[in-house]
Amino acid sequence: MSGPCRAVSSSTGARALVLGGTFIAPISQWFVFWLLARYGSVMEAGVFAALLAYSTPLFIAAGWGLRNTLITLRRSYPFAVYLRIRVLLLGAAAVVLLGIGAWVRADPVMLWAVLLMKVSDGVTDLLYGPLQRQQALAPYGLLMIANGIISAVLSALMAVLCPSPSMIVFGSSLGSTATTALAIVALRRRPAEPAPDRTRDPARALLRISAPVALAQMLAVVLANIPTWIVAALGESADVGRFAAAAYILTLGSLLGSALNSMFIGEYQSVVSRQGPQALLLRLRRTTLRICLAGAAIAVLAFFVGPFLLESVYGRGFTFSPWFIASLTAAALLVPGTYVLNAGLLALNEYRSQFLVVAWSLALTLVCILLCYLAG
């Protein structure tokens, strides 16, 4: 096999690993949810979903967009500064989550398990950054796959040994911690980064530069979790559990988009640096069109099999209106293209533009929710 062919084969295999890792991580989380539904109850599954809904915005905020900044920012800062900021912000988020858990009287073991999971995932998330910037997609994908497999295996082991809902979640948390250790080992084996640029106060500069990215990510998480919060406020834990089960249809589109974002964000940054912004804009147009066509096929398939499949998998308590499934499917159709365009904005260092896109989307969503509420 010639050199170019080997390079294409290697690149395709690495992207396949990233695609597999992007899908296996949330599938592992779904597996934990399924174990809770089978070994516990709809209510206990709802408690886990509610804790995730509370903790996810907190820890997205604690991330402060640092990984995306690390990958795409043309100016270089020491990785130790990124890590120090991330650890301090994760500690603050952990304190807030413990306060929320005490306020809602969450099960202490499940609360600490979710906390361990989120802190470990937050550290690992930043460790992925240098791998993506170097376009080292193979180790990046393998780490995500390892995270999903280890978490699923440990959760299943806990379900067999001590079928307590809290211990099932704790098993998944141990998988996240193990992945953090593996990521540290993988990063130490990579080539050294070029010497960073000298800056008087790099921590303050990074906090300022990353602020629009962080705000955009926080608003995006709020946008994604608004439905769960509304169901939790107006319904019961069982309603939250049923909605979380159905929302995995929307997750299909998010997973595909997230995988494409992870594959191409480092490459897009390289295209801008070597060929200029116009070359990236032309590429984004072609890629977005292809994603929309593929997303349409996936959405149609989910529409036809969704209601029957969800009830078959979860049980009789998980029944849904076909129109409800249809609305989630339609939303899933639009997601992958937005992830790719988001990667393009980051590569262009258009951090404020990215924030404005998310802000307008959130405003439109709130207006639609208000109109639906007033209409009864």
Side-chain angles (χ1 to χ4, degrees), residues 190-368:
R190 298 298 304 171
E193 289 279 346
D197 300 328
R198 293 186 177 181
T199 306
R200 184 177 180 181
D201 192 348
R204 180 175 296 180
L206 278 177
L207 287 171
R208 176 181 54 80
I209 293 169
S210 298
V213 183
L215 292 173
Q217 289 181 336
M218 284 185 269
L219 291 182
V221 172
V222 171
L223 186 62
N225 283 279
I226 280 178
T228 302
W229 295 339
I230 291 176
V231 174
L234 301 180
E236 300 176 353
S237 291
D239 298 318
V240 178
R242 278 190 288 269
F243 176 80
Y248 278 101
I249 293 176
L250 183 59
T251 302
L252 289 174
S254 297
L255 289 177
L256 179 59
S258 179
L260 294 169
N261 183 291
S262 298
M263 289 179 200
F264 294 117
I265 187 170
E267 185 176 337
Y268 286 174
Q269 191 274 339
S270 179
V271 169
V272 173
S273 299
R274 296 176 182 176
Q275 304 176 34
Q278 286 299 323
L280 178 60
L281 292 174
L282 291 173
R283 182 169 177 174
L284 285 172
R285 291 173 188 171
R286 294 193 299 265
T287 305
T288 304
L289 178 60
R290 293 170 185 170
I291 290 170
C292 289
L293 293 174
I298 295 174
V300 170
L301 178 63
F303 173 78
F304 285 108
V305 304
F308 170 76
L309 182 61
L310 288 174
E311 187 172 0
S312 300
V313 171
Y314 291 111
R316 295 181 179 178
F318 294 85
T319 56
F320 306 95
S321 164
W323 288 107
F324 175 66
I325 301 299
S327 63
L328 290 178
T329 304
L333 168 64
L334 302 175
V335 172
T338 62
Y339 273 85
V340 171
L341 293 173
N342 174 64
L345 288 173
L346 290 171
L348 293 167
N349 287 186
E350 292 288 343
Y351 301 143
R352 293 184 180 179
S353 297
Q354 181 207 21
F355 165 73
L356 290 175
V357 169
V358 179
W360 278 109
S361 299
L362 178 60
L364 180 61
T365 299
L366 292 176
V367 169
C368 292

Side-chain angles (χ1 to χ4, degrees), residues 16-373:
L17 289 173
V18 173
L19 181 63
T22 304
F23 272 81
I24 199 171
I27 288 173
S28 174
Q29 190 174 89
W30 169 85
F31 180 66
V32 174
F33 183 85
W34 179 81
L35 287 174
L36 292 174
R38 287 298 184 182
Y39 286 87
S41 65
V42 174
M43 181 174 294
E44 288 164 335
V47 170
F48 175 61
L51 280 175
L52 289 181
Y54 290 131
S55 62
T56 298
L58 277 175
F59 284 88
I60 289 292
W64 201 247
L66 290 174
R67 184 174 76 160
N68 285 334
T69 304
L70 189 157
I71 298 168
T72 60
L73 188 64
R74 298 187 186 96
R75 186 177 180 87
S76 178
Y77 291 90
F79 180 71
V81 178
Y82 284 94
L83 186 59
R84 184 162 61 248
I85 296 172
R86 174 62 61 92
V87 170
L88 290 173
L89 292 176
L90 287 175
V95 172
V96 175
L97 180 60
L98 288 175
I100 292 175
W103 177 55
V104 300
R105 298 180 181 179
D107 177 82
V109 178
M110 185 176 290
L111 174 62
W112 279 98
V114 171
L115 179 62
L116 177 61
M117 179 193 306
K118 288 297 183 179
V119 171
S120 299
D121 288 343
V123 174
T124 305
D125 173 79
L126 187 63
L127 296 176
Y128 288 155
L131 298 177
Q132 289 180 272
R133 185 176 179 89
Q134 298 172 11
Q135 299 182 46
L137 297 181
Y140 171 51
L142 287 171
L143 284 169
M144 290 194 293
I145 291 172
N147 188 10
I149 292 176
I150 295 172
S151 298
V153 169
L154 292 179
S155 298
L157 186 62
M158 289 293 184
V160 173
L161 296 178
C162 48
S164 163
S166 298
M167 294 307 295
I168 291 173
V169 178
F170 181 68
S172 178
S173 302
L174 292 178
S176 296
T177 306
T179 306
T180 303
L182 291 174
I184 293 172
V185 173
L187 200 57
R188 286 181 174 178
R189 293 182 176 180
R190 298 298 304 171
E193 289 279 346
D197 300 328
R198 293 186 177 181
T199 306
R200 184 177 180 181
D201 192 348
R204 180 175 296 180
L206 278 177
L207 287 171
R208 176 181 54 80
I209 293 169
S210 298
V213 183
L215 292 173
Q217 289 181 336
M218 284 185 269
L219 291 182
V221 172
V222 171
L223 186 62
N225 283 279
I226 280 178
T228 302
W229 295 339
I230 291 176
V231 174
L234 301 180
E236 300 176 353
S237 291
D239 298 318
V240 178
R242 278 190 288 269
F243 176 80
Y248 278 101
I249 293 176
L250 183 59
T251 302
L252 289 174
S254 297
L255 289 177
L256 179 59
S258 179
L260 294 169
N261 183 291
S262 298
M263 289 179 200
F264 294 117
I265 187 170
E267 185 176 337
Y268 286 174
Q269 191 274 339
S270 179
V271 169
V272 173
S273 299
R274 296 176 182 176
Q275 304 176 34
Q278 286 299 323
L280 178 60
L281 292 174
L282 291 173
R283 182 169 177 174
L284 285 172
R285 291 173 188 171
R286 294 193 299 265
T287 305
T288 304
L289 178 60
R290 293 170 185 170
I291 290 170
C292 289
L293 293 174
I298 295 174
V300 170
L301 178 63
F303 173 78
F304 285 108
V305 304
F308 170 76
L309 182 61
L310 288 174
E311 187 172 0
S312 300
V313 171
Y314 291 111
R316 295 181 179 178
F318 294 85
T319 56
F320 306 95
S321 164
W323 288 107
F324 175 66
I325 301 299
S327 63
L328 290 178
T329 304
L333 168 64
L334 302 175
V335 172
T338 62
Y339 273 85
V340 171
L341 293 173
N342 174 64
L345 288 173
L346 290 171
L348 293 167
N349 287 186
E350 292 288 343
Y351 301 143
R352 293 184 180 179
S353 297
Q354 181 207 21
F355 165 73
L356 290 175
V357 169
V358 179
W360 278 109
S361 299
L362 178 60
L364 180 61
T365 299
L366 292 176
V367 169
C368 292
I369 289 174
L370 179 61
L371 291 175
C372 291
Y373 179 77

